[in-house]
Amino acid sequence: AEKLVEMDAAALDTYLATLNPEGATYHDIGMIWGGRLMSPTGLYAAENADGTNGQRARHLIFLTDGQTEPYDLAYGAYGIEGLDRRRWNPSSTLSLADTVEARFGVACAEVKKRNITVWVIAFGTYLNDAMVECAGNGQYFEAANADDLNNAFTSIARSIGDLRLSK
């Protein structure tokens, strides 16, 4: 996770170059940290206080390049899922993926309770029911390529006052 900071295109490119996509997609932890970084009441409340003129508009754009793909015997945010059993038990009636998606839904609902508008973009993958439900009507996009992704961000920008995108 990267704390919220203003970045120019070069800084964003540098940060993105440090990421190494290898599968193991956990939407729940992404939504949890997105909410933590933006919440006006959480860990970073001092950095996210409302302005002197009233409530600050907050928009979380949840961008994913994959479907939920947890590994039961790999080390993750909560240890080794199948052994540590901090959020899932192998004897559960739900699969690990179902558990992660359910937690994603709960985390998304909690983010929205903090007056954060959630947008979801599936890049190079499809929207699943959990993503669509999280985003809500008209706030989700599928992007198969860079042009589609740019169009999704442009559409979001048109829906949000005072947001400008530049190349």
Side-chain angles (χ1 to χ4, degrees), residues 17 41 57 105 113 124 146:
T41 60
K113 284 181 187 177

Side-chain angles (χ1 to χ4, degrees), residues 2-46:
E2 175 76 26
K3 282 184 70 176
L4 302 177
V5 295
E6 196 169 315
M7 292 183 175
D8 61 18
L12 180 61
D13 287 343
T14 299
Y15 172 69
L16 293 175
T18 68
L19 303 178
N20 188 17
E22 293 182 5
T25 302
Y26 289 77
H27 294 123
D28 61 338
I29 197 71
M31 183 59 69
I32 288 166
W33 273 103
R36 284 177 178 161
L37 290 168
M38 296 181 72
S39 176
T41 60
L43 292 170
Y44 304 102

Side-chain angles (χ1 to χ4, degrees), residues 16 22 31 39 67 86 101 112 116 127 130 140 150 161:
L16 293 175
E22 293 182 5
M31 183 59 69
S39 176
Q67 296 299 307
R86 291 189 177 110
E101 285 195 1
K112 290 178 178 180
I116 298 172
L127 291 158
Y140 53 85
N150 187 49

Side-chain angles (χ1 to χ4, degrees), residues 22-82:
E22 293 182 5
T25 302
Y26 289 77
H27 294 123
D28 61 338
I29 197 71
M31 183 59 69
I32 288 166
W33 273 103
R36 284 177 178 161
L37 290 168
M38 296 181 72
S39 176
T41 60
L43 292 170
Y44 304 102
E47 298 171 23
N48 293 315
D50 286 328
T52 56
N53 296 331
Q55 188 173 21
R56 176 181 291 169
R58 293 175 177 84
H59 295 266
L60 187 153
I61 301 173
F62 188 87
L63 175 66
T64 183
D65 65 350
Q67 296 299 307
T68 303
E69 186 184 14
Y71 299 144
D72 61 344
L73 292 177
Y75 190 79
Y78 300 99
I80 298 174
E81 300 282 3

